[in-house]
Amino acid sequence: MSDADPSDTEDRTTIRTGREFEQEYRLDAAEAGEFLIELGEQLRDGDELTIVDDEWELPFAFGEPVEMELDFDGVGEPELELEIELPGRSDEKAPNVE
């Protein structure tokens, strides 16, 4: 989710189904908030989203229901964990009944 030049897409690796991928970031709160707003807009407005970085892009067609989990640990150093799981959307169609 960036303002990258469209010509840069040729240089990116596309992350596709059948592959595992994980990337962690340490961001300031404002930058994380902007990411969440852009992600939220894509979730609200459609059934596909694309997340991009300089080296990769991850298109994802999601289905319903979206699972959201909040985990608060108030012992020691308080910590709040937010997790969103988006199920993949299948493009398969049901067989015919004759």
Side-chain angles (χ1 to χ4, degrees), residues 4-51:
D5 182 340
S7 63
D8 290 342
T9 60
E10 295 174 5
D11 297 334
R12 288 192 199 118
T13 299
T14 300
I15 310 302
R16 298 260 183 231
T17 301
R19 178 174 174 196
E20 289 190 24
F21 176 77
E22 185 175 324
Q23 183 73 43
E24 289 188 24
Y25 295 89
R26 292 186 58 83
L27 309 171
D28 61 31
E31 193 169 5
E34 285 298 320
F35 173 82
L36 291 172
I37 289 168
E38 290 180 32
L39 181 66
E41 288 173 347
Q42 286 192 34
L43 288 172
R44 178 195 64 207
D45 296 341
D47 56 4
E48 294 185 20
L49 59 88
T50 301
I51 301 173

Side-chain angles (χ1 to χ4, degrees), residues 29-81:
E31 193 169 5
E34 285 298 320
F35 173 82
L36 291 172
I37 289 168
E38 290 180 32
L39 181 66
E41 288 173 347
Q42 286 192 34
L43 288 172
R44 178 195 64 207
D45 296 341
D47 56 4
E48 294 185 20
L49 59 88
T50 301
I51 301 173
V52 298
D53 199 333
D54 292 339
E55 298 176 6
W56 52 265
E57 66 179 36
L58 174 59
F60 188 72
F62 60 90
E64 303 281 343
V66 172
E67 185 177 319
M68 188 169 74
E69 181 180 327
L70 303 173
D71 183 11
F72 175 68
D73 183 357
V75 178
E77 285 189 41
E79 180 177 86
L80 176 63
E81 182 177 331

